[in-house]
Amino acid sequence: SISGQQNNKPPSPSRPSRLDTLKAMASAPPTQRRASSSSDAAAPSSSNTATSSFNPQPAAATMLLPFRILSKTPAIITILLRVLLWPLFKLFNAAFPPREFDGINNAAGSDRAARAFVAMVQKQISVVRPVVPASESSNGEGGATNQEHYVEPPCPFSSRGYNLTISDITSRPPNSRPLLLLYLHSPLHADGTKFIRDYLCHPQLLQLLNSNNSDSNGSVACFGASVHTADGQRMRDLLGVTGFPFVALLNVKSGGSSGGDANGNAGVPMELLLRMEGPALTRIPPAQITTYLHTAVTRQAEVLAAEEARRLQREEEARLRQEQDREYQEALLADQMREIERREAEESERREAEEREEAERSRMAKEASRLEDARALLREAGEPPAGSKGVARMRFQLPNGKKVDRRFRSADTIETARAFLVVL
């Protein structure tokens, strides 16, 4: 058959590869190696010509060029769209400013949301009125008087955003820093408005919060937000709130950690003192919630008082140590001054003694020199013999009453007589 003839056909000679040539050269004798190397040296010219006639790489690069251009197309389109839409974005931001739910760094939006929450709470406070006793309500004049003298309590919650509220708390000294009462409101919750009216607007709780909520020395700062706002959603994520209504009492610490927002408030550490959430919260009497909050605030006040007492004690101990150090330094300085004065006195006495000794030595040297001069003068003049001509006898009476006689020549001077007295 045809297939059989093709299979029995002898194979056509193929060109040996470069690797086979190298193996043959390595196994051949040295003489054959030189011969094969010379033949290989002549062969590259033809092989290079054949290789240069067909190179598949430029053709492959030309085929892949459209795919490379297509892969860069999305980036180019994105850049062009950004450049073309930038004026439109600016115009859109000017026409539609950010709202309270458009970002946690939007201070104006946060303040608007806080004011809206305060207005909602204040509206519920206006709904709640104190119950007038029956004895007073029967008297129309007395009831009218009570209604006339009734003063609606203010809303204790802050009308500023979360960032500004935290900044106000952390700006105070640690010993007078208030607690943060946080309430998260869910507009979709069935008991949300009822909880505000019956619990947050309860007269006892309002009196407790307003009495402890002051701009300068209050012990509680109240902040409320809806979970549909940026601040409310942030606090919901931070505290892991899963049930509503939600009330928490937090102790804001000083300092912060990394990862905060532009105002540096996201990383402020807080200590959770009290947490109440879920439907079970609506089954607790409002007075009991007031008791819980009052107990937590009182305990925190006791903790702050103890810390303040320890701080004052540390300051008093530091002051006493400073006074003791100052007194010790003063006593040490006085001792050093006395030691310096004693050394100066000793040095002065030593100098005076040396001066006296020097004066005494000088005087004795002068006396010795004077005595030696007097003796030399007497030896030079000599005492003349008795009976000599021109001789005078002189008698000297000393201070002790002793009388001494001596002969002098008429040519001797008074210095000779003084020399005689010096020698005596």
Side-chain angles (χ1 to χ4, degrees), residues 22 32 66 79 106 190 219 258 261 269 277 302 337 356 408 410:
L22 293 176
Q32 295 181 4
I79 295 174
N106 183 13
S219 58
S258 61
D261 57 7
E277 64 179 337
E302 293 176 354
M337 294 298 295
R356 287 194 299 269
F408 294 91
S410 58

Side-chain angles (χ1 to χ4, degrees), residues 84-98:
L84 294 176
L85 295 179
W86 183 80
L88 184 60
F89 288 156
K90 288 295 183 179
L91 181 61
F92 182 81
N93 291 331
F96 302 98

Side-chain angles (χ1 to χ4, degrees), residues 350-364:
R350 185 183 61 81
R351 286 197 300 268
E352 291 178 357
E354 290 179 355
E355 291 176 357
R356 287 194 299 269
E357 292 178 358
E358 184 66 23
E360 183 67 19
R361 287 194 296 270
S362 177
R363 187 185 63 81
M364 293 179 64

